Amino acid sequence: MRWIRMVAIAAVAASCQVAFAGLTLENEDFTVQRVYPRNRIEKLADGRDGVRVTFFPGEYAPGKKARFPAVVLSPATGKCWDFSSWSTLSATVENCEESMVPVFLRLQTLTQEGKERQTMSFFLLAPREKRKLSLKFSRVDPACAVDLGRIDNAPEGACAFPNVYPERTTGICITTTDDFPGECTEGRTIVVTDIRLSGTVSRCVALTSPAKFFPFIDRYGQYVHAEWPGKIHHDEELPPLLAAERRQLAALPPLSGRNRFGGWSDGPQRKATGFFRTEKVAGKWTLIDPEGRLFLSFGMNAVRVVDTGNNRNVSNWFAEPLPPSGIPPFCRRNLEWKYQPFRQERWVDHTFLRLTRWGFNTLGAWTMPELYRARRMPYMVEFGDKLKSARFPNRKFYDAFDPAFGKALDALFAEEWQFTASDPWCIGYFVFNELVFDERLLAEEVTVAPPEMAAKREFARRLQQKYRSIEALNRAWNAKFPSFAEFLAAREKRYDVENAAADLKEFSRALVEQFYSECRAVIRRNAPNHLYLGARNMPVDFLRGDVIAIASRFCDVLSINTYQPVSARLDGGPGAADVPILISEYSFLVSDRGRFIDRTAGMTQADRAQAFRRNWESMLANPRIVGAHWYCYQDQPLAGRNGGGTGENRPFGFVDVTDTPYAEMTAASRSLAKTLYEIRFHGETTSIGNHSSRKEQDK
């Protein structure tokens, strides 16, 4: 290793003290390991220290853990590196491709018990771009005496994520995303050089004693043991912030070339139906608004005022006593101080002003219904996710063969969403969110379900129709069922799973198909003029047999939740129909301003804003993507959204817990929104290159 020395002169016993400022890894310091055998990797031999890597897609198989295309640099000697003297891992990475390439940089360490603990940062590299990428990591302080239980992300130094054990670093992992099949079938090549450790190690002294550390959440919901620009210390600071923001927003003109729905009034006129629909224009999918204008959904999820989580069992975390509910009223109380007094209609007006000036044109899922009812911005509704009827016994999925399933969804729509049925501002509906699909396990669970389960009775009917006799089924499955009635009654597996695999897969596909068919029917019965937007699938569903292919046959728009950068080549996967795609949930995070996360998009809010813009520019180059919705409007509470130190506590927001916007994000969103349609349909040049070789405009 090559040490970079910084000399500090100190008058201590008339001697010179030497402090190590950092180190750079040389080729002889590391070995390379292919996580996926097809990857090509070689150490550079041109006088530079580093590697050249070509990534290919990972291998996937049902029931097996997905392997991502990755390479790991491991210590050439010994089991671990000791990186405890530094806080930042950096490398210069060159993208050798003509398209955007996401690069993930991970520091892999071992806990004292020998379990893996890692932290990660990812970056979106423009075509042919070469830049320094940095991952700031924080260590578990050996002197930490504070127990934060199951908190999702903890302050620097605590014995929890995102903090790692750099004194036992086992590897530096470099990877590219492969959440969706076919994204890098031709390979992606990058060159990594100047792999370096630097930065000073900071400590939170308060962690050495519970008496010093608790409480660590102040009366505004902020972290106590850190300072940052814009942190609130007194109630009197909040009203001037609101006044200044109003002046700033008022000085920004509305985006030009937009109609009342946020559609592209300067673009081509298409058929107006009075409701939202989809259409291909110049070979690219788009939404069409009620007035017949092209509409790309630039959306924001969860626009609401909500305080969540019963925290009575961690009441010592908070600087002020909790109310009887145990739910800290930070959001509501901060708004009361800021608005003096808070009235919902004033907050609604200001929120719409914010969103429109920031460039947004769609209210996404989990938004307060009062904002939908205002009919000032198009919206998409999520419903069904809390449904109890016809739920699978042990997983988040539903038995759509049960007549109670469709009836319960009809009743839920009538009770909560009837006001949307003929509303032209309503784009459509997501029915459920992030269900657990599986190519084979769904049917396996049906085989051990109670005999009255509709899906189990349907499976038994199909098997009896196929095999005719229980003896034939037993031979095929290597099973021991005395009769088909016993198949229905069985509550444990009496068969060989591998022998039954083909039938299990076939029925799992039938379950998925029935689910999407019934959900679509619910929308057609209740809101025939609106779009069925699917079930907000997770990326792993692309790897589970025919799930996405089936969904695409029933959905007007296929919705996908992903926190990976989205490729311009995302096409729905093998067998998928040519339907438009909406990224219904995405976000990028960084650790700063008193918040902590183990998966970052760089080191600063500026890095976060750049990742946001580049991700959108990549999506705009994809002819199937018709929009994307950021998750979410406000940061999650530091103590976790479930309360008691559990659940997500991530800084997702465009505004923090004090209702203060992240200026870097709002500026980036407005800048992008100004040219959203020109980038999409006119091939305007962007920060990641020109998306089109010619001007395209449908006549």
Side-chain angles (χ1 to χ4, degrees):
M1 294 184 182
R2 185 165 66 253
W3 296 84
I4 305 166
R5 290 180 171 84
M6 178 178 67
V7 179
I9 301 176
V12 180
S15 65
C16 177
Q17 296 182 338
V18 178
F20 292 107
L23 63 84
T24 301
L25 296 186
E26 298 178 337
N27 284 351
E28 58 266 28
D29 298 321
F30 61 84
T31 60
V32 295
Q33 173 190 354
R34 295 177 178 86
V35 176
Y36 176 51
R38 284 186 63 203
N39 290 344
R40 293 199 299 264
I41 180 168
E42 57 185 359
K43 290 186 179 181
L44 299 177
D46 55 4
R48 295 180 296 171
D49 295 304
V51 293
R52 180 183 181 91
V53 185
T54 300
F55 295 107
F56 289 91
E59 289 179 332
Y60 301 97
K64 296 182 180 179
K65 185 177 180 180
R67 295 196 296 176
F68 290 82
V71 62
V72 178
L73 310 185
S74 303
T77 58
K79 185 178 180 181
C80 300
W81 283 308
D82 182 358
F83 291 162
S84 59
S85 298
W86 298 280
S87 63
T88 303
L89 169 67
S90 63
T92 298
V93 182
E94 179 182 357
N95 176 13
C96 302
E97 302 298 321
E98 297 297 339
S99 59
M100 186 187 77
V101 170
V103 176
F104 292 72
L105 192 62
R106 305 171 192 250
L107 189 73
Q108 299 178 335
T109 73
L110 292 177
T111 67
Q112 294 172 332
E113 297 76 27
K115 297 181 179 179
E116 186 176 281
R117 173 77 65 82
Q118 65 179 8
T119 187
M120 175 182 69
S121 190
F122 69 92
F123 311 85
L124 298 156
L125 292 180
R128 298 291 175 178
E129 181 180 16
K130 181 179 181 180
R131 67 180 292 184
K132 179 181 177 181
L133 309 180
S134 297
L135 164 62
K136 189 177 186 304
F137 56 89
S138 54
R139 66 174 185 152
V140 173
D141 191 332
C144 177
V146 171
D147 181 8
L148 290 172
R150 295 187 293 134
I151 193 169
D152 196 34
N153 289 280
E156 182 173 2
C159 300
F161 289 108
N163 307 312
V164 294
Y165 297 81
E167 67 274 16
R168 289 188 293 277
T169 298
T170 58
I172 296 168
C173 179
I174 305 162
T175 184
T176 185
T177 182
D178 190 29
D179 261 357
F180 308 106
E183 281 206 8
C184 55
T185 52
E186 304 86 10
R188 291 170 171 164
T189 298
I190 61 172
V191 174
V192 184
T193 57
D194 195 27
I195 305 166
R196 182 175 302 194
L197 278 299
S198 62
T200 57
V201 177
S202 60
R203 291 190 64 204
C204 176
V205 177
L207 281 167
T208 61
S209 164
K212 293 178 181 178
F213 186 76
F214 296 109
F216 72 94
I217 301 175
D218 70 15
R219 65 195 303 251
Y220 305 100
Q222 304 168 123
Y223 183 51
V224 168
H225 302 294
E227 292 295 322
W228 60 89
K231 185 178 183 180
I232 301 300
H233 299 87
H234 305 287
D235 298 358
E236 294 74 21
E237 297 173 40
L238 287 165
L241 289 177
L242 179 62
E245 186 191 355
R246 281 177 170 162
R247 290 193 298 270
Q248 180 189 41
L249 293 173
L252 294 173
L255 296 185
S256 63
R258 304 293 189 270
N259 67 5
R260 64 192 180 115
F261 292 103
W264 191 24
S265 59
D266 286 349
Q269 176 69 53
R270 312 303 292 178
K271 180 181 178 181
T273 63
F275 295 95
F276 280 89
R277 61 185 183 84
T278 62
E279 184 181 333
K280 263 190 176 180
V281 176
K284 300 171 183 178
W285 279 108
T286 183
L287 296 169
I288 304 294
D289 76 17
E291 296 179 347
R293 296 297 184 177
L294 277 58
F295 182 94
L296 295 173
S297 186
F298 196 66
M300 177 67 75
N301 283 308
V303 185
R304 57 186 178 176
V305 179
V306 60
D307 290 296
T308 60
N310 186 325
N311 287 278
R312 280 192 291 267
N313 63 329
V314 292
S315 59
N316 64 318
W317 288 17
F318 301 93
E320 291 192 347
L322 297 173
S325 66
I327 300 174
F330 295 133
C331 294
R332 176 71 63 166
R333 192 167 58 183
N334 288 340
L335 290 174
E336 288 283 353
W337 289 326
K338 194 169 190 176
Y339 281 81
Q340 294 191 337
F342 170 77
R343 293 197 302 272
Q344 184 165 289
E345 60 270 21
R346 292 181 65 201
W347 178 84
V348 168
D349 285 343
H350 187 64
T351 300
F352 275 122
L353 180 62
R354 276 179 170 176
L355 292 174
T356 55
R357 293 302 190 265
W358 296 346
F360 291 95
N361 65 6
T362 309
L363 297 169
W366 307 296
T367 290
M368 289 172 58
E370 290 81 359
L371 274 73
Y372 296 153
R373 290 179 181 273
R375 297 184 175 183
R376 292 165 63 177
M377 183 175 287
Y379 60 88
M380 298 182 185
V381 171
E382 187 277 337
F383 79 99
D385 208 41
K386 304 296 183 182
L387 195 71
K388 303 297 183 184
S389 299
R391 185 158 178 166
F392 264 51
N394 299 309
R395 69 176 57 233
K396 189 180 179 183
F397 194 70
Y398 291 84
D399 179 6
F401 285 107
D402 190 337
F405 175 72
K407 291 178 181 178
L409 286 176
D410 286 336
L412 184 60
F413 187 94
E415 179 182 352
E416 297 186 8
W417 303 110
Q418 190 60 46
F419 75 91
T420 70
S422 299
D423 186 0
W425 293 86
C426 179
I427 299 173
Y429 308 90
F430 310 103
V431 188
F432 298 99
N433 177 67
E434 295 186 349
L435 298 180
V436 181
F437 297 93
D438 193 279
E439 188 179 38
R440 191 171 72 187
L441 293 181
L442 285 176
E444 283 188 45
E445 186 165 325
V446 169
T447 64
V448 297
E452 60 270 16
M453 183 182 188
K456 190 170 189 180
R457 302 183 73 84
E458 175 64 17
F459 197 9
R461 184 191 69 79
R462 293 184 181 210
L463 291 174
Q464 189 165 6
Q465 184 180 49
K466 177 178 179 179
Y467 289 103
R468 301 296 181 183
S469 70
I470 196 65
E471 291 79 14
L473 174 65
N474 285 336
R475 285 194 298 272
W477 282 31
N478 189 21
K480 299 178 180 178
F481 297 114
S483 64
F484 282 103
E486 285 298 314
F487 172 86
L488 271 175
R491 300 303 307 276
E492 70 282 333
K493 293 177 184 175
R494 301 180 189 174
Y495 58 89
D496 186 286
V497 171
E498 292 305 317
N499 283 54
D503 289 325
L504 293 171
K505 290 178 182 179
E506 183 178 350
F507 192 66
S508 287
R509 287 193 289 269
L511 288 164
V512 173
E513 185 165 319
Q514 182 71 12
F515 168 82
Y516 278 105
S517 175
E518 188 59 33
C519 288
R520 178 186 174 91
V522 167
I523 300 304
R524 294 294 180 260
R525 287 196 297 269
N526 292 281
N529 293 311
H530 298 325
L531 300 173
Y532 172 39
L533 306 170
R536 304 169 68 91
N537 294 81
M538 292 180 286
V540 71
D541 292 330
F542 280 78
L543 315 172
R544 287 173 168 159
D546 298 326
V547 172
I548 294 296
I550 292 169
S552 68
R553 296 205 311 268
F554 291 96
C555 299
D556 298 308
V557 178
L558 184 64
S559 53
I560 301 165
N561 293 351
T562 179
Y563 290 80
Q564 302 278 3
V566 178
S567 169
R569 289 177 288 193
L570 173 62
D571 63 1
D578 180 14
V579 297
I581 295 172
L582 176 82
I583 303 303
S584 41
E585 194 172 313
Y586 75 105
S587 198
F588 301 113
L589 310 174
V590 291
S591 293
D592 74 342
R593 304 186 194 182
R595 301 305 299 259
F596 327 98
I597 187 71
D598 66 329
R599 180 192 178 93
T600 63
M603 296 176 63
T604 66
Q605 290 294 331
D607 292 332
R608 184 186 184 212
Q610 184 180 53
F612 163 79
R613 181 177 181 98
R614 288 191 172 188
N615 190 56
W616 253 103
E617 291 173 349
S618 178
M619 291 188 293
L620 289 171
N622 187 312
R624 291 199 180 187
I625 293 178
V626 297
H629 294 182
W630 180 270
Y631 185 87
C632 54
Y633 181 66
Q634 186 172 56
D635 285 345
Q636 293 174 327
L638 191 55
R641 67 179 182 181
N642 295 343
T646 63
E648 293 177 354
N649 66 342
R650 304 185 180 192
F652 284 124
F654 259 59
V655 301
D656 67 14
V657 71
T658 68
D659 191 53
T660 301
Y662 290 98
E664 297 89 343
M665 295 300 298
T666 63
S669 66
R670 180 176 173 85
S671 173
L672 175 63
K674 283 181 179 180
T675 57
L676 200 67
Y677 294 100
E678 287 78 8
I679 294 172
R680 175 70 163 191
F681 294 103
H682 284 177
E684 293 288 335
T685 299
T686 71
S687 65
I688 61 171
N690 197 315
H691 289 319
S692 177
S693 60
R694 62 181 180 85
K695 299 283 186 178
E696 292 180 295
Q697 182 168 4
D698 185 70
K699 297 180 180 179

